[in-house]
Amino acid sequence: MSYFGNLQKIQYEGRQSANPTAFKFYNPDQEILGKTMREHLRFAVAYWHSFTANGSDPFGVGTAARGWDSYTGMDLAKARVEACFELLQILDVDYFCFHDRDIAPEGNTLQETNRNLDKMVALIKENMKSSGKKLLWNTANMFTHPRFVHGAATTNNADVFAFAAAQVKKALEHGKELGAENYVFWGGREGYETLLNTDLGLELDNLARFLHMAVEYAKEIGFDAQFLIEPKPKEPTKHQYDFDVATALSFLQKYDLAPYFKMNVEANHATLAGHTFEHELRVARINGALGSIDANQGDMLLGWDTDEFPTDLYTSTLAMYEILRNDGGIGRGGVNFDAKVRRASFEPIDVVYAHIAGMDSFARGLQVAAKLIEDRVLESVIDERYASFKSGIGADIVAGKASFRTLEAYALQNKPIVNRSGRQELLKSVLNQYMSNV
Ligand code: XLS
Ligand code: CA
Ligand code: CA
């Protein structure tokens, strides 16, 4: 059975190609700055958007026409696994990501739910073995079921906290079983709706307790995946605790969790927080916490999480610039397409086109960012812009040798201050030039 129309593996044909099922920029074996594109980008398909979701929205039912629509229960779960490995093969993508609830239906009891999961994990493991595909990360869905109405690790109900712990324990075991390279914590309902009924201090302390238990358990079972926090400011709760990268980092530092976690930065979450994607990546990078990315984009005219496939070359270029400047690049992380086709793009082939568009956008971003770095375009501007901190009083400040007294003495005898232009418009036009010429 083919779910995506018996397509052959997508090939690179170059930027002149008019073939909709060919890569225009993603050439997996092309070397850039000493690594292949495949190694730099480590693309992943998100199970929930491409196999579990059906295109429904708050106003209407699903529109997606899929070859697995006629199945239910465990048969449906099995068909989706087949579809997943078929798509990975077609796209020549090495990784995938899932929530526990994406891959197996919830049973009537936790025992039954876990049995369903165990069966599906065994099936996925077989498929991974025969195909060579890998799990970039797994995670636990602690937001869909009504039991999480008040949160999971930040609920007011200790029984729910215990259930969530049991769920993550199982997910960590499955991550280990499948050799997941990362494990993601996105606090779907970890936030609040109103302070009038919320013990903010206890909820945050409990979240930290929960994460410490996860770190300990992973260590105990020898699961050495990189742990990632995925910040998001709102949706589903009005205020999410992991608001943005800076907020998540200060939380981790306060609770002595910083050494165990990096960030999974999602583009659409950055824009919801009032930041650019590159801002969030930069904040993570300079704090040694850039772990992985969820590649998608929001719609600037809509204030919610639209999870569109990323096609904006400006953003993919600046994102790849941050990744290339990161120590070790994307490292154990990857570029996960946490993105869904629009409701009106309901045919299976649209899922293929959408991934090709996203992969080409990041491949193109990689090419331009690499050239910018090679030519030290931004580095030389920045070096010069901060030159005053390389010698004299600036060097003293940086070396920790200055105090308010020495700085006052300097300022009192100093010549009139001269500032220089930041040249923002010039830099933007140089960036445009690189984007069209490279
Ligand atoms: C939702 C999040 C979610 C995480 C994984 O907005 O992006 O899908 O990536 O739970
Ligand atoms: Ca995400
Ligand atoms: Ca999202």
Side-chain angles (χ1 to χ4, degrees):
M1 164 83 192
S2 162
Y3 295 98
F4 294 97
N6 282 315
L7 283 179
Q8 296 301 305
K9 186 156 97 180
I10 309 293
Q11 303 291 326
Y12 168 72
E13 289 186 6
R15 63 171 83 193
Q16 307 305 337
S17 170
N19 177 0
T21 48
F23 295 122
K24 319 298 181 300
F25 296 102
Y26 180 58
N27 183 2
D29 301 322
Q30 186 189 329
E31 282 223 7
I32 295 187
L33 300 177
K35 280 204 273 189
T36 63
M37 279 197 172
R38 185 190 293 278
E39 291 164 337
H40 276 293
L41 293 164
R42 295 164 59 89
F43 286 128
V45 168
Y47 209 95
W48 52 103
H49 284 309
S50 288
F51 311 109
T52 316
N54 61 7
S56 62
D57 71 11
F59 303 94
V61 296
T63 54
R66 301 287 183 260
W68 53 84
D69 288 342
S70 56
Y71 298 103
T72 55
M74 288 295 277
D75 292 335
L76 173 59
K78 286 177 195 160
R80 284 171 168 155
V81 171
E82 256 180 68
C84 172
F85 283 89
E86 183 190 339
L87 185 68
L88 293 173
Q89 193 62 34
I90 290 170
L91 295 171
D92 195 11
V93 161
D94 297 327
Y95 294 93
F96 63 110
C97 303
F98 64 76
H99 302 80
D100 45 7
R101 299 295 172 259
D102 302 333
I103 60 162
E106 190 148 3
N108 290 322
T109 60
L110 182 57
Q111 286 79 350
E112 194 187 328
T113 299
N114 284 345
R115 274 197 300 276
N116 289 349
L117 269 171
D118 288 340
K119 280 187 206 145
M120 294 312 302
V121 165
L123 180 66
I124 287 175
K125 193 175 178 180
E126 272 171 37
N127 278 270
M128 287 171 70
K129 210 167 157 202
S130 57
S131 65
K133 303 295 179 190
K134 292 169 277 188
L135 184 57
L136 185 66
W137 52 261
N138 65 319
T139 185
N141 173 334
M142 302 190 291
F143 42 90
T144 300
H145 195 279
R147 77 173 65 84
F148 299 116
V149 63
H150 300 301
T154 62
T155 173
N156 57 302
N157 183 346
D159 286 354
V160 175
F161 186 100
F163 189 101
Q167 198 178 326
V168 171
K169 176 176 177 287
K170 193 74 181 165
L172 294 173
E173 290 161 9
H174 284 151
K176 177 177 154 81
E177 176 75 11
L178 298 177
E181 303 201 21
N182 305 268
Y183 183 89
V184 165
F185 294 85
W186 170 60
R189 302 219 177 250
E190 315 294 23
Y192 69 82
E193 295 297 331
T194 172
L195 286 176
L196 297 177
N197 65 10
T198 301
D199 185 340
L200 196 68
L202 178 67
E203 292 203 359
L204 287 164
D205 288 351
N206 279 349
L207 179 57
R209 290 183 181 110
F210 193 93
L211 294 177
H212 271 293
M213 289 184 219
V215 168
E216 258 162 51
Y217 189 66
K219 201 166 148 200
E220 192 183 315
I221 63 171
F223 179 37
D224 68 350
Q226 172 171 270
F227 272 18
L228 301 170
I229 301 278
E230 185 179 321
K232 185 174 183 180
K234 54 190 169 193
E235 238 197 287
T237 65
K238 184 177 77 178
H239 179 95
Q240 299 264 140
Y241 290 135
D242 297 323
F243 190 94
D244 60 3
V245 171
T247 311
L249 283 173
S250 81
F251 167 84
L252 293 173
Q253 282 157 8
K254 171 175 174 189
Y255 291 101
D256 297 324
L257 285 160
Y260 311 108
F261 290 85
K262 288 192 175 182
M263 297 290 144
N264 182 39
V265 183
E266 179 177 319
N268 204 161
H269 297 180
T271 48
L272 288 176
H275 302 306
T276 57
F277 191 24
E278 58 270 23
H279 165 93
E280 287 293 80
L281 293 168
R282 178 74 62 94
V283 175
R285 169 162 82 79
I286 64 166
N287 285 288
L290 173 45
S292 196
I293 70 170
D294 271 6
N296 61 13
Q297 68 190 32
D299 185 319
M300 291 309 149
L301 303 182
L302 304 173
W304 65 91
D305 195 17
T306 59
D307 286 346
E308 296 177 24
F309 273 83
T311 50
D312 175 14
L313 295 181
Y314 205 86
T315 300
S316 66
T317 299
L318 295 178
M320 286 314 300
Y321 175 83
E322 295 304 326
I323 289 168
L324 289 177
R325 291 292 314 273
N326 192 43
D327 199 15
I330 200 67
R332 299 183 74 180
V335 175
N336 170 44
F337 291 109
D338 189 353
K340 58 185 174 206
V341 287
R342 298 304 85 190
R343 192 165 182 268
S345 304
F346 47 76
E347 295 176 17
I349 191 73
D350 290 308
V351 177
V352 176
Y353 293 150
H355 282 90
I356 293 175
M359 292 165 78
D360 270 338
S361 299
F362 270 80
R364 181 71 189 135
L366 168 61
Q367 289 172 331
V368 179
K371 186 72 180 139
L372 283 169
I373 289 174
E374 220 168 57
D375 294 352
R376 292 187 48 79
V377 174
L378 306 177
E379 287 72 15
S380 43
V381 171
I382 289 172
D383 275 358
E384 205 192 311
R385 186 154 180 259
Y386 293 87
S388 72
F389 285 94
K390 298 237 168 63
S391 62
I393 194 74
D396 285 354
I397 294 172
V398 170
K401 289 188 198 150
S403 68
F404 270 12
R405 283 182 203 290
T406 64
L407 291 169
E408 183 197 42
Y410 177 86
L412 286 171
Q413 56 74 47
N414 199 16
K415 301 183 288 291
I417 289 173
V418 182
N419 267 314
R420 289 159 117 190
S421 164
R423 302 266 188 262
Q424 194 176 141
E425 298 76 7
L426 172 63
L427 282 170
K428 286 188 173 172
S429 95
V430 172
L431 183 53
N432 280 348
Q433 218 180 343
Y434 270 75
M435 286 181 53
S436 42
N437 290 349
V438 168

